[in-house]
Amino acid sequence: MNWPEKIIFCEVGPRDGLQNEKTTLSVEQKISLIEGAAEAGVPIIEIGSFVNPKAVPQMADSDEVAKRLRRLPGVEYRALVANIKGVERALAAGITKVKLTLSASESHAKANLNKSVGELLKGFEECAAFARENGAEVSGAISTAFGCPFEGKIPVERVASIAGRFVEDLGVTELSLSDTTGMANPRQVYDRASHMIEKFPQVKWFLHLHNTRGMALANIVAGMNAGVIRYDASLAGLGGCPFAPGASGNVASEDVLHMLREMGIESGIDLDKMIALARRLQQWVGHDTDSAMLRAGPCGGTACAGK
Amino acid sequence: MNWPEKIIFCEVGPRDGLQNEKTTLSVEQKISLIEGAAEAGVPIIEIGSFVNPKAVPQMADSDEVAKRLRRLPGVEYRALVANIKGVERALAAGITKVKLTLSASESHAKANLNKSVGELLKGFEECAAFARENGAEVSGAISTAFGCPFEGKIPVERVASIAGRFVEDLGVTELSLSDTTGMANPRQVYDRASHMIEKFPQVKWFLHLHNTRGMALANIVAGMNAGVIRYDASLAGLGGCPFAPGASGNVASEDVLHMLREMGIESGIDLDKMIALARRLQQWVGHDTDSAMLRAGPCGGTACAGK
C-alpha cells in the first residue's frame, strides 16, 4: 500500500460541527476553539459560514467570531458562503478564503437550498468573481459526492461534471469531495479519488468524510492510497445528522490524527492538545459524541488490558 | 488497491462478545444467537469457551450450549480451550474444532493466565495432540499480536516466532492475529499480515480486530490488501474491555458485513438478518454498544438527509 509522508489537515468543527447543534456556543467559546486548534498546529480551519442566519442560526455570529479572532501566521481561516451577500460579510470580517458548496445530487440541492444545481452554479460564478476582485481566494466542495440519501449512489460522471464546472466556470483549484451522509465505502473512495486526480491533476483535492456507518477511517486509508493528502474532520466528531439522533457525523479530528500518528504519517499537529480541545467541546455541547479518543484514549495507555 | 472477491467470516460474539458482559444470557438465548447467525449464513461461529468457570463464569454453560445446539451442515462451530480438561469438555459436547490462544506479550500472558508463553506452549502441545487423537481439528490465535497495553508495540519477530511454534510444534495450519486491545493501525496490519503470509504461506490467516480506537474497518481494508480473507467480528460490537467502560471492543459484525456489501465483496451472509440479531442481542445485554448499523442503519435509508 502507498502512504503519504504527511497530510494537510482542515478542522471543520467550528462550522460543520456546530451548525446543527442544539446548544449555542458563545462567540468567546467559538474563538477559543478556533485559537486552540491553531495553537495545536492545525494549518486550515473552517471558522464558520456566512449564510442566512434564519436558515442556520448557529452561524449567525460568524462575523463577530472572524473579526475578533487572534490569527496565527501561516494558518488559513476559511469560511463557507452561498451568495454575494455572504461573500461581502466574509470579506468585511477579514476572511481571505471562501468555500462554495454544491451538491452532486439535484434532490439534495433542492431539499437543502430549494434550487437546482444549475441555478446554484450560476450564482456561484458571480460569488467567485466578486471574491477574487476583492482579494479573496475561492475553494469548492461537492456534497453528496459518493451517495445521496434520496438518490442513492451518485455516478462518478456527475461528480466529474460538477468538478469540471467548478474548475472551468469558477476557476477553482481546490476542491473537496464530501461524503455528506456517510455513504462512501473504501473501494468507491479509492476509485473516485483516483479518477478525479487523473481527470483534474491541477486540483488540490480534499476528502470530507463522515463516520455515519463507521467507515470514515477506512475511507481515509483508501483516499491516501489514491494519493489524496488533504482531509477535513471535526473535533469530538461533532456534526451528526439532525434527523438521525445518535448517528455519527463528521469523523472526529482526534481519531484521524491518532491514526496518522500511529501510522507515522506527519500532520504537524499536537494530538494531546486536540484531544483536550475535543473533550472541552464535548462538555460545552453537553452530549456524548462519536470519538474513540474521548472514550478509550490513544494507544499507549494501560486502560484496556483485558483478555 | 487489491480487493478479494469474497471473504470468510467468523462470528465470535457468543464467546468473545459475551465473556465479559455483566448480564448473563440464558442457554436458550445463546443458542438462539448461534442458530440465528448460522441461519443468516455465517460459515464459522465461535460458540463459547471451555475454560475454568471460576475465571470466566459467563462461559460456564458452554457444554450445555454446544450439546443442545441445532447444527446446520457446512457451518463450523468452534470453541476456545486452554488445557486438556477444556479439550475433553469440548469433545464431550460435540465440538470438532478447538482454538488455542497464546499472547505475544509475556506481560499479557502473565496478567491473564499467570503463566509464561513458554509454559503455555508446552501445555498446548498436549492439548493439540489430544484433540487430534480424538478427531478434532485445532486452530490457533495470537493475542496482543500488534500491541500490548503493558509492553507497547509488539515486534513482528516475536509474533512470527510464536506463529512458528504454533505451526511446527502444534501442527496448526489456521492462525488468527488478534488485536486484543485495539492498538493496531492500518500500516502495521498491512505490513504484519504481508510478512506472516510470506513467511507462512501454508497457514490460513485470520484477523481478529477490535475497534477500541475506531480503526477496525480501516485495519480490515489493510488486511484485505495484504491478502487476508478471514475475519472475526462480534454481533453488536460486544466484547468491550472490562477496564475501560464505554470503550469499544470487537468490531461489530454488522458494520464489517455492511462495508463488505457496499464494496461488492461477497460474504454469503444476510446483512439484514445480522442487524436484527445484533439489535436483539443489544437489548438482551441492556446497554448501548459500538455499532454504526444499530445507530444509523445501512446505506440506502433516507434517515440522514441533512446538510
Side-chain angles (χ1 to χ4, degrees), chain A residues 1 3-4 15-16 19-20 55-56 108 111-112 148-150 153 180-188 190-191 210-215 217-219 221-223 225-226 240-248 255 258-259 262-265 288 290 292-293 295-307, chain B residues 1 3-4 15-16 19-20 55-56 108 111-112 148-150 153 180-188 190-191 210-215 217-219 221-223 225-226 240-248 255 258-259 262-265 288 290 292-293 295-307:
Chain A
M1 296 179 89
W3 310 110
R15 198 277 302 172
D16 199 20
Q19 68 181 6
N20 292 320
V56 192
H108 189 260
N112 269 307
C148 163
F150 306 115
K153 294 245 184 298
T180 313
T181 62
M183 293 176 68
N185 68 70
R187 183 175 218 154
Q188 185 194 27
Y190 179 77
D191 292 346
H210 282 222
N211 201 35
T212 322
R213 274 92 187 179
M215 292 187 275
L217 294 184
N219 288 337
V221 162
N225 271 271
C241 164
F243 309 113
S248 311
D255 290 354
H258 174 262
M259 180 175 81
E262 290 298 305
M263 295 176 76
I265 297 168
D288 195 22
D290 179 31
M293 286 303 104
R295 282 193 303 261
C299 290
T302 55
C304 204
K307 315 183 213 307
Chain B
M1 296 178 89
W3 310 111
R15 199 276 303 170
D16 199 21
Q19 69 181 8
N20 291 320
V56 191
H108 190 260
N112 269 306
C148 164
F150 306 116
K153 293 244 184 297
T180 313
T181 62
M183 292 176 68
N185 69 69
R187 184 177 216 152
Q188 186 195 26
Y190 178 78
D191 291 347
H210 282 221
N211 201 35
T212 323
R213 274 91 188 181
M215 291 188 276
L217 294 184
N219 287 338
V221 162
N225 271 272
C241 163
F243 310 115
S248 310
D255 291 354
H258 173 262
M259 180 175 83
E262 291 297 304
M263 295 175 76
I265 296 168
D288 195 22
D290 179 31
M293 287 302 104
R295 282 192 303 262
C299 290
T302 56
C304 204
K307 317 186 211 312

Side-chain angles (χ1 to χ4, degrees), chain A residues 143-158:
Chain A
S143 59
T144 61
F146 299 91
C148 163
F150 306 115
E151 301 189 8
K153 294 245 184 298
I154 298 292
V156 66
E157 296 74 22
R158 203 185 313 162

Side-chain angles (χ1 to χ4, degrees), chain B residues 55-73:
Chain B
V56 191
Q58 293 292 2
M59 293 292 117
D61 55 10
S62 290
D63 313 74
E64 203 183 339
V65 170
K67 275 178 195 156
R68 287 173 48 189
L69 197 57
R70 190 171 45 83
R71 288 168 166 75
L72 285 190

